[in-house]
Amino acid sequence: AKMESRAKEFWKPEWKIKDEFTQRTNEKIDQNETMNSTDTVILEGREFAVHPGVFSPSIFIGSKFLCNKLCEFLPDSGTFLEIGSGCGCVAVLVAQNRPRLRIFAVDISQSALENTLENLKRHRLTDRVKVTQSDVMDAFVDAGEVEKFDCVFWNYPFHHTDKSIGQLTMTERAIRDPNYACLHKLFDQASQLVSPGGKVLIGFSIKMGIVEALVAIARHYGWQTQEKANGLDFEGERTSMAIFECVRFNDA
């Protein structure tokens, strides 16, 4: 509640989402919520099960782009945390592509964690990824022994809404964040939990999200933001999804 009120005060009136994007987002949420059986998706030539109630990568082309591009920006070794693991596709691909990384995956949704674990098991990677329930990085802030991460990634719920977090369903929370309150929480916690010289990578729509808000919030907590890649010419399937890299100003 404290972070929600801080985010509401910080939010600027000119940061608006176009009605057409709100409508499109509503359609995507409805599409996902009508899925009542396990779906199978193919990403980077690998098969993943997606359970009902877990946001499906098949609904946003942006997920394909992130799975294709993300590993280019990851360190070869050290510790990696994915926030919002969903069905576990990113955790699987990172584990396969970066064998020397210690990998953690968190999600606030118990259904998503079970789905992540199923796909790790399917790809024989359960020993490579530690899966924990957490709202952003709360599980590590609350831990007695604080884990430090060299890289944190979040395919962030970039769609602003006037609803409160408590009014959102789990499916909505995969795509919506009121006044970007969870982004405030992310950078506040990252200042404590990301190693010196480490970075935060964010999947964010440059069309359906508000980039100025992302940059301003990061700056408020001492982080500099740079767009590293976008999907505007991705494999003939245009997507406005982009990868932003955030580093502390004193590390830049």
Side-chain angles (χ1 to χ4, degrees):
K2 181 181 169 187
M3 202 58 81
E4 275 195 81
S5 60
R6 185 190 296 182
K8 195 168 185 178
E9 287 171 19
F10 192 87
W11 195 261
K12 292 183 169 40
E14 61 268 27
W15 292 344
K16 288 185 169 65
I17 299 279
K18 290 182 181 177
D19 289 344
E20 65 178 289
F21 295 149
T22 298
Q23 180 58 35
R24 198 181 304 175
T25 302
N26 289 340
E27 290 167 3
K28 299 285 187 187
I29 289 167
D30 290 345
Q31 186 182 346
N32 202 84
E33 289 190 333
T34 56
M35 289 172 57
N36 52 20
S37 61
T38 298
D39 188 20
T40 300
V41 299
I42 308 290
L43 294 162
E44 295 298 294
R46 296 158 180 86
E47 199 171 273
F48 298 93
V50 184
H51 294 178
V54 177
F55 208 84
S56 176
S58 65
I59 289 175
F60 270 111
I61 298 168
S63 302
K64 294 184 190 175
F65 165 74
L66 291 173
C67 287
N68 179 263
K69 278 283 181 189
L70 179 64
C71 285
E72 291 180 24
F73 305 104
L74 299 184
D76 287 326
S77 59
T79 50
F80 170 81
L81 168 67
E82 182 190 14
I83 298 170
S85 61
C87 72
C89 54
V90 168
V92 166
L93 291 165
V94 171
Q96 290 179 332
N97 282 280
R98 291 289 184 273
R100 292 193 294 150
L101 270 184
R102 287 178 62 226
I103 302 168
F104 297 77
V106 301
D107 205 293
I108 193 170
S109 160
Q110 185 61 39
S111 299
L113 294 174
E114 289 167 6
N115 202 163
T116 293
L117 285 165
E118 180 183 323
N119 282 314
L120 287 168
K121 187 175 180 181
R122 173 183 289 213
H123 294 279
R124 296 187 174 90
L125 292 165
T126 48
D127 60 331
R128 287 289 323 283
V129 181
K130 184 174 180 183
V131 178
T132 306
Q133 189 164 23
S134 182
D135 182 359
V136 194
M137 292 191 272
D138 282 357
F140 304 101
V141 172
D142 297 341
E145 184 182 328
V146 176
E147 185 73 52
K148 293 274 188 180
F149 301 103
D150 299 300
C151 182
V152 172
F153 168 70
W154 191 2
N155 182 6
Y156 172 73
F158 49 76
H159 194 274
H160 163 63
T161 176
D162 292 324
K163 288 183 179 181
S164 70
I165 288 175
Q167 292 174 307
L168 302 178
T169 65
M170 276 298 175
T171 302
E172 285 181 297
R173 289 196 67 172
I175 198 170
R176 288 185 168 145
D177 183 19
N179 303 303
Y180 289 4
C182 292
L183 211 48
H184 282 264
K185 188 172 190 172
L186 169 69
F187 286 112
D188 183 49
Q189 294 180 338
S191 296
Q192 175 189 347
L193 295 173
V194 173
S195 307
K199 60 186 175 182
V200 176
L201 297 171
I202 297 181
F204 194 93
S205 171
I206 53 179
K207 190 163 68 173
M208 295 173 74
I210 302 167
V211 175
E212 298 94 323
L214 163 63
V215 172
I217 293 165
R219 187 189 301 120
H220 180 71
Y221 293 92
W223 294 78
Q224 177 175 305
T225 308
Q226 182 183 7
E227 183 182 329
K228 302 297 283 187
N230 66 59
L232 294 178
D233 59 355
F234 176 62
E235 293 184 359
E237 296 183 275
R238 285 173 59 85
T239 169
S240 64
M241 184 61 77
I243 295 171
F244 287 85
E245 182 182 82
C246 309
V247 297
R248 292 179 180 88
F249 275 107
N250 55 6
D251 288 336

